[in-house]
Amino acid sequence: MQRPGGTGPGRLTDRVPQVPADRLVAQLEPPRHFAAASFESYHADPSHPSQAAARLRLREIAYQVSRPANRGLRARLRRVVPPAVYLDGGFGVGKTHLLAALAHAVGRTETAYGTFVEFTHLVGALGFAATVEALAKHRLVAIDEFELDDPGDTLLVTRLVRELADRGVAVAATSNTLPEALGEGRFAAEDFVREIQSLADRFEVLRIDGEDYRRRPVRTDEPPLPDAVVTATVTDHPGATLDRFEALGDHLARVHPSRYGALLDGVTLVGLTGVGPVDDQARALRLVVLVDRLYDRDVPVLLGGSGEHGLFTPEMLRGGYRKKYYRALSRLGALAADGAALVPADRKELT
């Protein structure tokens, strides 16, 4: 992706993608790093039997959802309640892997898979009624990281799930976990059941015990790069973009978050210069969404300025959206490490 004339990297700030409604729905699929997730590739820890039990139950649900509908007289006379399952467990026990495996088992065209935020953005882009109609064409809706920190959004998605369940659509969900409890086996079922209120009795809770399989803390210590190194590296990298951090923040306010995925079409590396702390919550939350889309697509980043250090204020990291901010820092740290690996050795001497 080059600037007009073929010289130098392109800029995300030059892109204003127009995304048709059918693409917004079609792009609801497991992220790239879970594209091959299956029940077979989920390695249940024998010391935690709940992992194998959850996998077995999800296999049963996949079969139930996938089999052709019985359209005989008995099926017409009685209403069949679609399955609804909530995967509950601490960080790193494989909830997202199992959710993606369920989606693949049911079938790509039969499943709408996305994060909680992606579904709220879909409603914002299409409207509630149109979203229900679009998603009701699927057999399964899979919601990863069901967020409980925004009462308005929680109520919105709860209503969406209720409408879809009434239309015969199966639902599977996970929820996010507090960063200070990562790897400690924290469970959120009580929070989830309390927040979804009228839907609580429809959901089957599958508790998944275990330790974080990665056995690592959240990494947010990737050192920033000099802006000159970021600029030189992206200039040599086909498909790279280069933006001033402040300008990108301004641009994100003008693009609907449902289009951030399309903003990254064809992008292989994102370079940001002048990175510094974000003290506006709306701006910070838009950045979180962009980081999620970068992570879903495995796009490395190069961070100049102060990098991820101090990116979100202490108040933000203690506030109601702290789960989102810590997740963004963890993901940005991983993407920044991938980006740093692309810096030529002679340039690393300048860092």
Side-chain angles (χ1 to χ4, degrees), residues 9-49:
R11 291 189 299 231
L12 294 178
T13 50
D14 289 337
R15 307 183 118 203
V16 185
Q18 301 300 315
V19 185
D22 56 352
R23 175 177 168 175
L24 291 177
V25 178
Q27 69 189 16
L28 290 172
E29 59 183 356
R32 186 176 301 169
H33 42 279
F34 286 104
S38 67
F39 294 130
E40 291 75 20
S41 63
Y42 177 75
H43 301 295
D45 186 341
S47 62
H48 296 284

Side-chain angles (χ1 to χ4, degrees), residues 11-347:
R11 291 189 299 231
L12 294 178
T13 50
D14 289 337
R15 307 183 118 203
V16 185
Q18 301 300 315
V19 185
D22 56 352
R23 175 177 168 175
L24 291 177
V25 178
Q27 69 189 16
L28 290 172
E29 59 183 356
R32 186 176 301 169
H33 42 279
F34 286 104
S38 67
F39 294 130
E40 291 75 20
S41 63
Y42 177 75
H43 301 295
D45 186 341
S47 62
H48 296 284
S50 61
Q51 295 186 11
R55 179 177 59 188
L56 176 60
R57 178 63 183 127
L58 289 175
R59 283 183 186 272
E60 296 171 346
I61 290 173
Y63 173 75
Q64 178 183 350
V65 174
S66 300
R67 64 184 178 182
N70 183 347
R71 304 190 182 280
L73 178 61
R74 180 174 296 181
R76 291 196 299 269
L77 293 177
R78 65 182 177 87
R79 182 183 178 195
V80 178
V81 178
V85 62
Y86 167 70
L87 308 182
D88 185 43
F91 184 78
V93 296
K95 300 188 301 295
T96 298
H97 184 122
L98 286 171
L99 189 69
L102 175 63
H104 291 311
V106 172
R108 169 67 191 91
T109 60
E110 301 291 345
T111 302
Y113 179 110
T115 63
F116 178 94
V117 171
E118 286 180 289
F119 284 108
T120 61
H121 290 162
L122 185 66
V123 173
L126 302 184
F128 187 84
T131 299
V132 171
E133 289 301 318
L135 296 179
K137 298 175 183 177
H138 299 77
R139 290 176 181 260
L140 170 70
V141 167
I143 306 173
D144 198 19
E145 297 179 348
F146 200 110
E147 297 187 354
L148 307 172
D149 48 18
D150 188 311
D153 284 346
T154 301
L155 184 63
L156 173 69
V157 177
T158 299
R159 180 187 167 202
L160 178 65
V161 169
R162 183 171 58 249
E163 294 274 352
L164 292 171
D166 289 344
R167 300 279 288 271
V169 179
V171 178
T174 73
S175 71
N176 50 11
T177 304
L178 283 170
E180 58 266 29
L182 299 186
E184 296 177 5
R186 178 188 181 273
F187 294 86
E190 291 183 4
D191 298 339
F192 180 78
V193 169
R194 180 183 64 249
E195 294 299 333
I196 64 173
Q197 300 173 20
S198 61
L199 278 178
D201 60 345
R202 299 194 189 189
F203 271 86
E204 173 186 0
V205 175
L206 298 181
R207 177 162 171 157
I208 307 174
D209 298 277
E211 300 177 354
D212 178 1
Y213 78 96
R214 286 156 288 203
R215 291 179 173 82
R216 60 163 176 78
V218 173
R219 293 191 61 83
T220 59
D221 56 357
E222 186 64 31
L225 299 167
D227 284 352
V229 171
V230 173
T231 300
T233 302
V234 298
T235 300
D236 295 341
H237 196 89
T241 61
L242 178 65
D243 292 271
R244 289 288 298 174
F245 184 68
E246 180 93 11
L248 180 60
D250 293 340
H251 185 63
L252 292 179
R254 297 188 288 268
V255 178
H256 193 277
S258 66
R259 299 175 181 173
Y260 287 6
L263 193 68
L264 301 172
D265 283 352
V267 176
T268 60
L269 173 66
V270 167
L272 296 174
T273 59
V275 178
V278 180
D279 56 10
D280 177 77
Q281 186 125 269
R283 197 178 187 94
L285 290 172
R286 287 191 288 268
L287 178 61
V288 167
V289 176
L290 179 65
V291 171
D292 284 343
R293 300 293 79 77
L294 287 165
Y295 186 78
D296 288 346
R297 289 158 176 77
D298 291 327
V299 178
V301 300
L302 296 170
L303 300 178
S306 59
E308 69 201 83
H309 300 279
L311 189 60
F312 303 117
T313 68
E315 292 75 21
M316 290 177 181
L317 296 178
R318 290 193 299 266
Y321 297 114
R322 63 191 182 279
K323 299 176 187 178
K324 297 182 182 182
Y325 296 138
Y326 275 103
R327 183 183 74 226
L329 288 173
S330 176
R331 292 180 168 184
L332 194 56
L335 296 175
D338 292 341
L342 300 175
V343 178
D346 59 334
R347 287 198 192 116

